Amino acid sequence: MNTYWTHLDSPVGRLLLTADPSGALTSLSVPGQKGGRTVRDDWRADAGPFREAADQLAAYFAGDLKEFDLPLRAHGTAFRERVWAALDTIPYGATTTYGEIAARIGASRAAVRAVGGAIGANPLLIVRPCHRVIGAAGALTGYAGGLDRKVRLLTLEGAPIQAPVQPGL
């Protein structure tokens, strides 16, 4: 299977986007991202499959787009895919907690750490809004793209940021 890739400049750094042959976005990574993708020799550099993603990301960063409408194809375990689908339901400018995500997918309260792990493994930063998930007490917790980017994205969206930044879940 071919993987297409391109870089896009953004207010949160240079983005690396990948897509499958159908044009579905398979990942969006930021520099220094924990678990982020890096270009491989067998990938094909081609900006063509990313025109719509580039337009929507530009509109998002300009404050003109509140919901992405792109074909996405991320592969994970059934549990991760349920968590990622729940991320898609968090409205622009809103936040939710790891516990609330667990409840949405029917997972037990004890599964909050597993939910956090699935959120941390989200391969589609920004377009699948894991930055909108915060700690139970309102604390800004881990973000694979870095807490500084999480703050910038939430600020862009006008989301309430009330608690100090704290590491961990």
Side-chain angles (χ1 to χ4, degrees), residues 76-150:
T77 65
F79 179 81
R80 283 185 175 181
E81 289 182 7
R82 285 194 343 256
V83 171
W84 297 340
L87 295 175
D88 293 337
T89 67
I90 308 168
Y92 179 95
T95 58
T96 193
T97 66
Y98 295 92
E100 290 168 348
I101 294 290
R104 283 185 199 183
I105 66 165
S108 71
R109 188 78 181 133
V112 170
R113 278 210 164 306
V115 166
I119 291 170
N122 171 24
L124 290 158
L125 296 190
I126 305 168
V127 298
R128 180 157 280 152
C130 53
H131 59 276
R132 297 177 187 155
V133 182
I134 60 174
L140 297 181
T141 59
Y143 179 61
L147 286 177
D148 58 327
R149 284 191 184 96
K150 183 172 192 161

Side-chain angles (χ1 to χ4, degrees), residues 24-105:
L25 198 61
T26 56
S27 73
L28 188 158
S29 301
V30 297
Q33 175 184 333
K34 179 182 175 184
R37 298 189 85 177
T38 55
V39 177
R40 294 181 20 183
D41 290 339
D42 60 336
W43 291 0
R44 180 176 171 192
D46 184 350
F50 304 98
R51 287 189 182 101
E52 185 61 28
D55 289 348
Q56 289 189 34
L57 284 161
Y60 169 80
F61 286 117
D64 297 330
L65 180 80
K66 304 214 181 323
E67 188 173 322
F68 290 96
D69 184 17
L70 297 168
L72 306 177
R73 187 158 296 119
H75 299 286
T77 65
F79 179 81
R80 283 185 175 181
E81 289 182 7
R82 285 194 343 256
V83 171
W84 297 340
L87 295 175
D88 293 337
T89 67
I90 308 168
Y92 179 95
T95 58
T96 193
T97 66
Y98 295 92
E100 290 168 348
I101 294 290
R104 283 185 199 183
I105 66 165

